[in-house]
Amino acid sequence: MLISFTVSNFGPFRDQTEFWMIPFPKLAQHKERLVPLRRYRSKVLSCAALFGPNASGKSAFVSALAFLRSLVLEGSRQPGRTGRIPFGLQKQSADKPTRFALSCLAGGTLYDYECELSDLAVSSESLRRILTKTEEIVFQRNAQTFTGKLFADETARNIAYSTGADTLLLKSLLAEGVAQAAPLGAWFRSLKFLSAEHSLLPKRVSAGQSALAEALDTLATGISGFQEQTAYLDGLPRQIREELIGLLYGAPGNTYEITLADGTRLRARLESGSHRIEVQKILPTHHAADGAKVIEAEHESYGVKRLIRLLPQMSALISNPASGILIVDDLDLGLHPLLTKKILTDFLQARDGTHMTQLIFTTRSTELLDQNLFRRDELWFTERTEEGACQLRPLTSFVSESGKYIRFDKIIRRDYLKGLFGAVPKMGQNNIFASDQSPKSSSSKSSS
């Protein structure tokens, strides 16, 4: 589970920007959703929503987490460079380090991980293991100098000194299968992103289709069920095909599903005995006067495609404790506001504090600014300053003129639209189409 995430000098985040999933003290709203960390006698939030106007940092926050995940699990895609993207609206930012820091619960233990990057190298990196009464430094790296409990092992020392300057030591330790780093590797792999820029990887599923069909029927999409049709893997993008085949051969007999960008769903299974891969295309069926009709997923509306990708992932956060953290950019994209609210209401009502999973999403739907739906500490606002730097701020940080926190019965949607929490578009008064209404010049008239 994610406890906190900090980023600075990356993308539009110039200054240190902090986000956390720590409950606000003495807040009684929806406390049944809090997840207890009994070993540490604390609790953590299971959901968070980021609100804000366009270009305010919502998608950039998602990209920052996705970048760190990729750097830890895959390494830089630019040989000899870290691939970091410093704040671009201030010249001196190019000479300052990009910093990431996160605190997470991995394998039942709390960890603090930090790294600083320049364009060419990892300037510092550390991993701390938080115990109930103390903490231990697993490793600490400053340039190519290494300290920490991990290096009592000769193998770990050799891995460290052979790690390139542009590569995270954590990435190298995971690649070599070092046990002390394994919980962090599993945690980063549990991060799942759903957005226009991030495609979902294959996931293990059960054979049933009824739950999704019932949900889509309840949401009045017209879909009443699914049919299976024989298909092949040849048309898959190479990276996804290789990922799926690797999973199939790693776990014969298990069924895996992949949803493509056009909404097409494929299920594949490797027969244990024959080593033959069976692939089925999952086709939605619709209500019709003369019976159910099959329609290719690519012909469905954008909103239905979005639901077909989104709902199984959200359902897994309840049914599968190992499904980790789902991060959705523009959760309401292509969806009616009332439909989005219905989905989140049902999802949050199913949370009871026993699910060690989290949902973090961005949205522009003001219909969701409702204290009957969300806790105040689950709501965050993103805003761009006059210098072009993006900031994050939780609703719990706002106080009235008298110094009091927002009441539990406050209609926050109305106050947000009034601009009391910021994070609204700062628009000018000029008609943006005024220039299109000006008379044509005499030269254009004479030439016509």
Side-chain angles (χ1 to χ4, degrees), residues 1 22 25 63 87 90 103 165 211 259 270 305 322 350 365 373 396 405:
M1 302 193 77
I22 302 170
S63 295
F87 180 68
Q90 190 178 59
S103 177
T259 303
L270 179 69
K305 292 178 184 178
S365 177
L373 183 60
T396 49
Y405 288 108

Side-chain angles (χ1 to χ4, degrees), residues 49-293:
L50 281 67
F51 292 81
N54 297 89
S56 63
K58 300 188 303 298
S59 296
F61 170 81
V62 175
S63 295
L65 266 172
F67 174 83
L68 181 59
R69 180 190 188 278
S70 177
L71 206 60
V72 168
L73 298 181
E74 303 168 17
S76 174
R77 299 176 183 177
Q78 307 174 40
R81 304 182 68 85
T82 61
R84 65 104 182 216
I85 307 169
F87 180 68
L89 300 181
Q90 190 178 59
K91 186 176 180 180
Q92 55 265 43
S93 293
D95 299 322
K96 295 180 179 179
T98 291
R99 177 176 178 267
F100 296 103
L102 67 85
S103 177
C104 66
L105 182 75
T109 300
L110 287 175
Y111 289 89
D112 287 340
Y113 176 71
E114 298 183 20
C115 63
E116 288 191 350
L117 318 169
S118 67
D119 287 338
L120 303 178
V122 178
S123 51
S124 68
E125 185 181 6
S126 68
L127 176 63
R128 288 177 170 81
R129 187 168 176 257
I130 312 302
L131 306 175
T132 51
K133 295 183 179 180
T134 185
E135 66 176 44
E136 66 177 26
I137 299 175
V138 180
F139 71 78
Q140 191 163 312
R141 169 191 189 181
N142 292 295
Q144 292 301 98
T145 301
F146 305 94
T147 57
K149 184 175 182 179
L150 178 68
F151 302 112
D153 179 72
E154 182 179 0
T155 301
R157 292 199 300 272
N158 292 335
I159 293 171
Y161 288 113
S162 62
T163 297
D166 61 335
T167 303
L168 293 175
L169 175 56
L170 180 57
K171 192 268 179 187
S172 298
L173 295 172
L174 292 173
E176 296 296 328
V178 176
Q180 292 92 324
L184 266 294
W187 186 87
F188 275 105
R189 283 188 289 272
S190 78
L191 288 176
K192 298 178 178 64
F193 296 88
L194 178 55
S195 71
E197 289 75 29
H198 301 96
S199 298
L200 291 171
L201 294 176
K203 67 178 189 304
R204 182 177 173 181
V205 295
S206 60
Q209 299 282 351
S210 58
L212 178 58
E214 182 179 346
L216 291 171
D217 190 34
T218 300
L219 296 175
T221 63
I223 293 176
S224 57
F226 294 93
Q227 289 187 10
E228 296 183 353
Q229 182 183 92
T230 301
Y232 304 93
L233 298 181
D234 299 348
L236 288 177
R238 180 178 176 181
Q239 180 181 356
I240 295 177
R241 183 174 68 249
E242 291 178 351
E243 172 82 12
L244 180 56
I245 291 174
L247 289 171
L248 293 172
Y249 276 93
N254 289 329
T255 301
Y256 287 87
E257 181 179 300
I258 181 68
T259 303
L260 305 183
D262 65 357
T264 299
R265 296 168 64 215
L266 297 177
R267 288 197 167 193
R269 181 174 180 271
L270 179 69
E271 291 289 346
S272 303
S274 64
H275 292 284
R276 181 171 60 90
I277 296 178
E278 292 185 349
V279 184
Q280 300 288 330
K281 180 190 289 188
I282 310 301
L283 299 169
T285 59
H286 283 251
H287 296 290
D290 55 346
K293 297 293 183 182

